[in-house]
Amino acid sequence: MSQQPKVLIFDSGVGGLSVYKEIEARLPQLDYYYLFDNAAYPYGELERQTLIERVNQLVSLMVEKHKIDLVVIACNTASTIVLPSLRSRLMTPVVGVVPAIKPASNLANKAVGLIATPATVKREYTQELIKDFSQNKPVELLGVTRLVDIAEEKLRGHPVSLKEMSQLLAPIANKIDVAVLGCTHFPLIKEEIQTVLGEKVLLVDSGEAIARRVQELLGINKNSNIEGKKDIYSSATPWQEDALNIALAKLGFNPVRPFHLGP
Ligand code: DGL
């Protein structure tokens, strides 16, 4: 069997799996390495410099150890600040995920809602995106960590409370006609977000665009005859590990393995 490109997908938790699904649908033959920094979760509440240092260290170590060909930072909170330092440090191409403000603004008639982490909505990068691409449409910002937790819980089989979701999304409900899912965890609770905001609100995320970019950079076509390997690593013992491994197995992954910084 010929050697397939090795792709590393990185996030603070399970959110990057939404990006993984999009890439895997296009390129099932790749060897997938997924690393999540749950020791520092949630990234949306982490101090800026700590986040930059952790992502640089963890990703560099992983790239070196597994001879990774392409890195996907499948996290808006990290991508909006770590990409320049990571790219200058690595020879490997790095694809990031940032909120899809531009396509959302093109689709909106009324206003755009950006649902993301508290950190992402505050970042200069996000403010610049809004300034450059919001096409004079108002952008309502909503940064909520609890929604990230709900996605983590749902993946582990917990029921999602629509009542709680309604309360969390209340500040933007009825004000917008397009919502940007500006956190990779949110496609995992897309159905619930849609139910709460109503069928008329269009939900936009960056997953498909990222998958297209990965395919473009690798310059390869889909090959369904080869199934690549799917390994997943975490920086701390995952919460409800058994339930998590059941969900991961359905996505083709081996059980989570530890990956720590330092010797
Ligand atoms: N999945 C992440 C994002 O896209 C971050 C979630 C978190 O750890 O706060 O922003």
Side-chain angles (χ1 to χ4, degrees), residues 11-12 15-16 41-45 74-78 117 120 148 182-185:
D11 187 26
S12 60
Y41 171 95
Y43 270 9
E45 293 181 19
C75 173
N76 294 262
T77 312
T117 65
T120 298
V148 186
C183 168
T184 53
H185 278 74

Side-chain angles (χ1 to χ4, degrees), residues 4-5 7 23 26-27 29-30 69-70 93 95 210-223:
Q4 293 302 316
V7 170
I23 304 172
R26 274 180 180 256
L27 298 168
Q29 73 266 34
L30 302 182
D69 298 298
L70 187 141
V95 178
I210 299 310
R212 246 185 287 124
R213 180 72 186 133
V214 167
Q215 182 162 19
E216 199 177 277
L217 284 171
L218 293 175
I220 52 173
N221 291 321
K222 181 172 185 163
N223 183 346

Side-chain angles (χ1 to χ4, degrees), residues 1-17:
M1 193 182 86
S2 64
Q3 181 82 36
Q4 293 302 316
K6 297 176 177 183
V7 170
L8 169 64
I9 300 175
F10 179 87
D11 187 26
S12 60
V14 299
L17 293 172

